[in-house]
Amino acid sequence: AIIMTIIKPFSATLSKGSMHLLYTISAIFIADIITTNAVQISDPIGHFRRHIIAPRTNTQEEMNNQFRGLDYELAERYTNMTKIIFLSFWYAAIYPGGLFMASLALFINYYTDSFSIMNTWKQAP
């Protein structure tokens, strides 16, 4: 957020066109809503391990290890939420719609994380 504010000239803050700051901010929110959640739900690494690597293992123990799921860090999830909140608060004065987009992103992240905790990630110790 700070870098976007620094590299964009002040005259581009409210100008029209695809290079203005508001367009860039909304693109960041949309990418944060769609891209990260789509990759997390699709779980390409888990599918690769379960469908490609697991059938080619030599022992049952190695195969069971391929089906365990991915490790996750709770700190990473908190960092993602903090990033969304910080971005929305940083640009709240010039882009109040970002607060609604942030609430949508947090709502979707909550259900994506709960799905991943129950279905695709490794069980916590």
Side-chain angles (χ1 to χ4, degrees):
I2 297 171
I3 293 174
M4 293 302 298
T5 305
I6 293 171
I7 64 173
K8 291 283 185 179
F10 182 72
S11 59
T13 303
L14 297 174
S15 64
K16 295 186 186 236
S18 64
M19 296 305 292
H20 67 286
L21 185 63
L22 296 179
Y23 178 79
T24 308
I25 296 167
S26 64
I28 290 171
F29 274 117
I30 291 170
D32 201 25
I33 291 169
I34 295 172
T35 308
T36 56
N37 293 316
V39 169
Q40 185 176 337
I41 292 257
S42 65
D43 188 29
I45 295 170
H47 284 291
F48 180 75
R49 288 176 63 193
R50 286 189 297 271
H51 298 290
I52 305 297
I53 297 176
R56 291 164 178 78
T57 57
N58 294 328
T59 64
Q60 184 66 39
E61 184 180 345
E62 290 175 4
M63 182 178 275
N64 290 345
N65 286 335
Q66 299 301 324
F67 279 88
R68 292 208 189 202
L70 299 174
D71 290 327
Y72 70 95
E73 294 289 330
L74 194 58
E76 181 183 334
R77 308 312 316 148
Y78 280 126
T79 303
N80 191 25
M81 289 188 300
T82 305
K83 176 188 68 165
I84 294 168
I85 292 170
F86 176 73
L87 186 68
S88 66
F89 286 164
W90 183 264
Y91 291 116
I94 60 172
Y95 190 57
L99 295 171
F100 295 109
M101 293 180 84
S103 65
L104 177 67
L106 291 173
F107 180 77
I108 292 173
N109 279 346
Y110 172 76
Y111 284 105
T112 304
D113 287 346
S114 66
F115 173 81
S116 296
I117 285 173
M118 300 303 272
N119 295 320
T120 59
W121 289 338
K122 189 182 288 188
Q123 187 175 5

